[in-house]
Amino acid sequence: SSRRDEDLLMNFTTPGARNALRTCLHRLWLAPLLHTDPDVVYFRTRQINLDAGQRALLQDLAEVCNFKATSDIPSWLSAGGKDDLRTFLARTPAVRRQGRYLFEIGDRSVDFTPYISLPPDPGPVRRLVGALLDSLTRIRSLFQAYFRHEERAFKARIRKEPV
């Protein structure tokens, strides 16, 4: 999970909501040259660790980046989630930058400042454990076994989800 990577491994480059906010906001200067893609817009309410406020914050980031897509599996969306996705895809609010991390999105002011700081240093024991786990990922057979396990677990979750 993203929390594990941030706390234990101190890896600030892994996919996750906080890293998406941090990297996209710091790459907006590239927008005239290329697409800044946060890749983390969600409308589902199951199989996700984000609450409604966090999902809304990521939708705001997507508006700032002019990003219109989701990674959600359609069958995981409730009727309300589908409506929210349709609304998100249809809206085109004016986005104006008011400060480094402050934006006006339509008639709302959105400040990303509280969400872009790096997490605190986990301390020497967690850094040591993180380094150990990192070294284990370099053993190809362990890495492959882990991903086979994760793939089976994901397929099992999908089979249990109602359509």
Side-chain angles (χ1 to χ4, degrees), residues 122-142:
V125 173
R126 282 193 164 195
R127 279 197 310 273
L128 180 62
V129 171
L132 175 64
L133 290 175
D134 183 56
S135 68
L136 290 175
T137 64
R138 289 180 172 82
I139 301 171
R140 187 177 178 96
S141 59
L142 286 176

Side-chain angles (χ1 to χ4, degrees), residues 22-151:
R22 188 180 303 115
T23 57
C24 284
L25 290 169
H26 289 130
R27 292 178 181 163
L28 282 176
W29 66 273
L30 292 167
L33 303 171
L34 54 95
H35 188 70
T36 306
D37 176 358
D39 195 33
V40 288
V41 183
Y42 300 103
F43 296 89
R44 68 180 187 256
T45 55
R46 58 184 182 205
Q47 299 291 335
I48 191 165
N49 293 327
L50 301 173
D51 63 31
Q54 293 165 328
R55 289 191 314 272
L57 187 66
L58 293 174
Q59 291 171 31
D60 287 339
L61 177 65
E63 296 286 7
V64 166
C65 295
N66 194 26
F67 177 80
K68 294 292 186 172
T70 184
S71 299
D72 287 331
I73 297 170
S75 64
W76 287 12
L77 294 172
S78 65
K82 289 176 184 175
D83 290 342
D84 291 344
L85 175 58
R86 279 188 202 97
T87 300
F88 171 76
L89 293 173
R91 72 179 173 229
T92 56
V95 177
R96 287 177 287 292
R97 194 170 202 162
Q98 302 295 324
R100 186 166 185 183
Y101 306 117
L102 181 64
F103 294 84
E104 190 176 299
I105 301 173
D107 60 355
R108 298 178 303 113
S109 180
V110 178
D111 187 0
F112 293 102
T113 304
Y115 311 103
I116 55 108
S117 64
L118 294 174
D121 188 309
V125 173
R126 282 193 164 195
R127 279 197 310 273
L128 180 62
V129 171
L132 175 64
L133 290 175
D134 183 56
S135 68
L136 290 175
T137 64
R138 289 180 172 82
I139 301 171
R140 187 177 178 96
S141 59
L142 286 176
F143 199 61
Q144 289 172 334
Y146 170 77
F147 277 105
R148 280 193 302 273
H149 168 74
E150 288 296 308
E151 183 178 30

